[in-house]
Amino acid sequence: MTFSLQKQLCRTLKACIANADLSKAQALHALYVKAPTDTYLSNHFVLLYSRCGLLSRARRLFDEIPNPNVFSYNALLHAYVKASHFDLARDLFARIPNPDLVSYNTLLAAHASRGDASEALRTLSEMRAVGLDLDGFTLSSAVASASSAHWVVEQLHSLAISGGFDAYASVANALVSSYSKVGSLKHAARAFDEMGGLRDGVSWNCMTVAYAQHRMGPEALVSLKEMVRGGFEVEVFTFASVLTAFAGAGDLLGGTPIHAWSIKCAFERNPNVGSGLVDLYSKCGRVSESEKAFEDVPEPDLVLWNTMITGYSQNEECFEHALRCFRELQRAGLRPDDCSFVCSISVCSNLSSPLQGKQMHSLVLKSEIPVNRVTVDNALVTMYAKCGNLEDARRLFERMTHRNTVSFNSMIAAYAQHGYCFEALSVFERLLTSENTPTAITFVSVLSACAHGGKLDEGRMYFRSMKDRYGIEPEAEHYSCMIDLLGRAGQFEEAEALIRSMSFDLDAVGWSSLLGACRTHHNFTLGVRAADRLIQMDPSNCSAYVMLVNMHSSMGQWKDVAEVRRLMRDRGVRKRPGYSWIELKKEVHVFVAGDSVHPKIREIHTFLEEMMAGYVPDMRWAVAREGEEDGGEMRLGHHSEKLAVGFGLMSTGDGVPILVVKNLRICGDCHSAMKYMSAVAGREITVRDAHRFHCFRDGKCSCGDYW
């Protein structure tokens, strides 16, 4: 090949690389292979194929170069890093005889994209050891990799100042972003302020995103406005981040202007912005607006679909919509990931739909989930437990090849909800001997198990060990569990002493637990105080009024009953309707107390009258009214859980277990009636109420009548 022809070929090849013109380049390559091998031209063909994503062809051509130089290695190294083939990049870098600054910078960029600070620092030290001078790209890549440790960012910041690299906008921008990611907004703002005239559009975007990452929506909005006034272009990602900040705070008033702004910028059709809008409106309870924001995006990506599923799952009345959205995601040709499955499986848990839950599990088994498989398995364990199938939850937990703390927490909570205290504490002991460590959530489940199992001494011991042994400061939920434990055991003086010792006020859950225990143990004096405190905390909390009515009516204090009911009317508080549901043959049947609309309600009443012959109702649980002849017995016999169980028994064959879900706590008479029905029918009856599971078998309940 003549020199002039080689020069012309090289000029044409560079044009092909710039335009990624693969077809013309392949024609040139056909001409080139007929000529003697030239390293210079070979390097450019490697670069061309690398930039066109043809890595195997680029590697084959690289291997054919007799004497590759550092440019040859760098071309292929950059391609590997860009394609996220980090292992191949690391192996190739190790083979470079004399890596130059470009080689090291490319490897640093790989570490930065992975957030691997330790490898980035090691590479940086190696560069300095071999005498290579650092540049702005070197420092910015190193800083970008250090987003997991504050001290690393500070050290690199010092290095940048000593070397004068803080005058590079790229380095300063990386410092702003990394300080924010390690949780130091103050340092991020200082680095931003010190930039002065260096600040460019990237700087403003980084600072605005930093405010958004720290859930400081108003500050992010101010930064956004100043950025626009400065004539800088706002990136789509910045808009999405600011929306996320307002969504996290549930600030609809602050987020709405961002929506209007995004429409003016024609960003509302972008999937990232769409996800932010869907998240904002969903968390603010505006489901119809979130649906509109979703529909505005012509080609929603997987993240947007997942955000829409999550939004539906956060609103109780939209659970079925979440599962429909999951199916539409599949019909759109997208493959569900771990987030898709976790959200959808959680919906099945909340619906207590074992049929849909098993279908979801089957789909998981058929799907290839590349990452976070353990999170999906954890969701499945919880789903089976909440659907009353504790055995399948246990079996899945035991088969998991990898377990994290959440896995153990899920199984402990499953046993606790079903009243199996010994098994729950056994799983906790297994957690302690594993490579995982307990968290605050772990102890909520452990203390809950002790409360449901009546393990008073064990509960006290675990509560003390939280801070003394594991360094976990008890929070409101832990105190509520202890109040529940002490209240169930009738230890009211100790419960009150614990409340007085708290550094913060007991929350509504704790007072509600104490109130329920007071009714069980007939401590009406303390119960009235607990109810009054609940009403002070939340005047619209209907459960406190209802419990007051129940306590006063049980003592025949009709004037007090009338006064509480008058107070409810004046404040517009209505008793939360109790309802129960059962899923049979892919259809959900819902019952309310005294139901008269179900098409088979007469047959249900007849069936229950025949089955309950000889059963004596516990009238202490009837909310009677002054002057009633039956003392409320008729209403007591028509509670929603009784109707649902009766329908389930009459609609299924012998031996088929029954699962009924109730939105409120099961009453004492219904609890006794379920035990009676399980013995008469010879069936297993499981009732999931708002607090726990009750599994009735042969006239006994799994809770041991301690609930």
Side-chain angles (χ1 to χ4, degrees), residues 206-235:
C206 287
M207 194 63 237
T208 306
V209 170
Y211 283 126
Q213 288 172 337
H214 287 76
R215 296 292 189 265
M216 299 179 69
E219 289 80 1
L221 183 56
V222 170
S223 179
L224 199 63
K225 290 178 179 178
E226 290 181 5
M227 179 179 175
V228 173
R229 278 197 293 267
F232 297 105
E233 184 178 351
V234 183
E235 294 180 357

Side-chain angles (χ1 to χ4, degrees), residues 266-583:
F267 283 164
E268 85 282 3
R269 296 168 64 84
N270 180 274
N272 291 324
V273 174
S275 294
L277 290 170
V278 169
D279 191 31
L280 170 69
Y281 288 122
S282 297
K283 286 180 177 175
C284 295
R286 302 293 187 91
V287 179
S288 59
E289 282 91 339
S290 68
E291 290 173 334
K292 178 64 169 60
F294 179 84
E295 292 167 359
D296 284 342
V297 180
E299 296 183 2
D301 58 9
L302 183 59
V303 173
L304 180 53
W305 279 102
N306 287 344
T307 307
M308 193 68 242
I309 294 172
T310 304
Y312 281 135
S313 69
Q314 293 168 344
N315 294 273
E316 184 177 349
E317 66 276 7
C318 296
F319 288 159
E320 291 289 351
H321 295 323
L323 295 180
R324 188 185 70 240
C325 190
F326 178 86
R327 291 189 288 269
E328 290 176 356
L329 177 157
Q330 293 177 289
R331 283 194 288 268
L334 296 174
R335 177 178 295 179
D337 63 359
D338 57 298
C339 181
S340 316
F341 279 115
V342 168
C343 291
S344 302
I345 292 168
S346 299
V347 169
C348 296
S349 301
N350 294 327
L351 287 171
S352 284
S353 176
L355 181 61
Q356 295 186 90
K358 287 182 177 179
Q359 289 176 348
M360 199 64 65
H361 191 181
S362 298
L363 192 57
V364 168
L365 295 175
K366 296 175 183 177
S367 303
E368 294 182 3
I369 304 173
V371 293
N372 290 334
R373 178 59 186 261
V374 66
T375 62
V376 178
D377 287 339
N378 293 341
L380 286 169
V381 168
T382 301
M383 181 274 295
Y384 278 118
K386 287 190 173 183
C387 289
N389 196 337
L390 187 59
E391 181 56 29
D392 278 352
R394 183 199 64 78
R395 188 179 296 114
L396 178 59
F397 174 79
E398 296 297 343
R399 289 178 179 176
M400 290 174 66
T401 56
H402 174 68
R403 303 187 190 98
N404 56 19
T405 301
V406 178
S407 311
F408 286 96
N409 290 350
S410 300
M411 199 64 232
I412 295 169
Y415 278 128
Q417 289 172 336
H418 284 261
Y420 293 98
C421 179
F422 175 79
E423 288 80 359
L425 298 183
S426 296
V427 175
F428 176 66
E429 293 301 324
R430 288 174 62 182
L431 166 62
L432 298 182
T433 58
S434 71
E435 60 183 11
N436 302 290
T437 55
T439 63
I441 296 175
T442 308
F443 282 99
V444 171
S445 296
V446 168
L447 294 174
S448 177
C450 292
H452 289 158
K455 301 293 184 181
L456 187 59
D457 293 335
E458 289 86 344
R460 289 169 175 150
M461 183 268 291
Y462 286 125
F463 184 73
R464 287 193 300 269
S465 72
M466 285 182 61
K467 187 174 182 179
D468 296 343
R469 183 175 177 183
Y470 302 103
I472 300 174
E473 194 70 38
E475 299 172 3
E477 284 185 287
H478 304 104
Y479 280 100
S480 295
C481 289
M482 281 303 296
I483 299 300
D484 189 25
L485 171 63
L486 295 169
R488 289 171 187 266
Q491 303 294 317
F492 293 109
E493 290 185 6
E494 186 177 348
E496 289 188 275
L498 183 62
I499 294 173
R500 288 193 296 270
S501 72
M502 293 170 56
S503 59
F504 47 84
D505 292 333
L506 185 65
D507 61 11
V509 176
W511 284 113
S512 182
S513 298
L514 185 62
L515 178 57
C518 288
R519 176 173 181 179
T520 300
H521 292 278
H522 307 292
N523 187 340
F524 295 134
T525 302
L526 179 58
V528 170
R529 281 166 43 203
D532 287 340
R533 190 60 182 269
L534 265 176
I535 292 173
Q536 289 175 15
M537 294 175 67
D538 184 7
S540 63
N541 187 338
C542 65
S543 62
Y545 297 96
V546 172
M547 290 291 279
L548 268 178
V549 168
N550 290 339
M551 287 188 291
H552 287 314
S553 63
S554 65
M555 294 184 291
Q557 298 171 342
W558 303 113
K559 289 185 178 179
D560 293 321
V561 169
E563 175 61 23
V564 174
R565 285 179 171 154
R566 182 196 63 77
L567 196 62
M568 291 179 69
R569 286 194 301 271
D570 292 346
R571 294 179 176 177
V573 178
R574 302 188 64 181
K575 179 181 176 182
R576 185 183 177 190
Y579 57 90
S580 303
W581 68 93
I582 182 171
E583 183 179 26

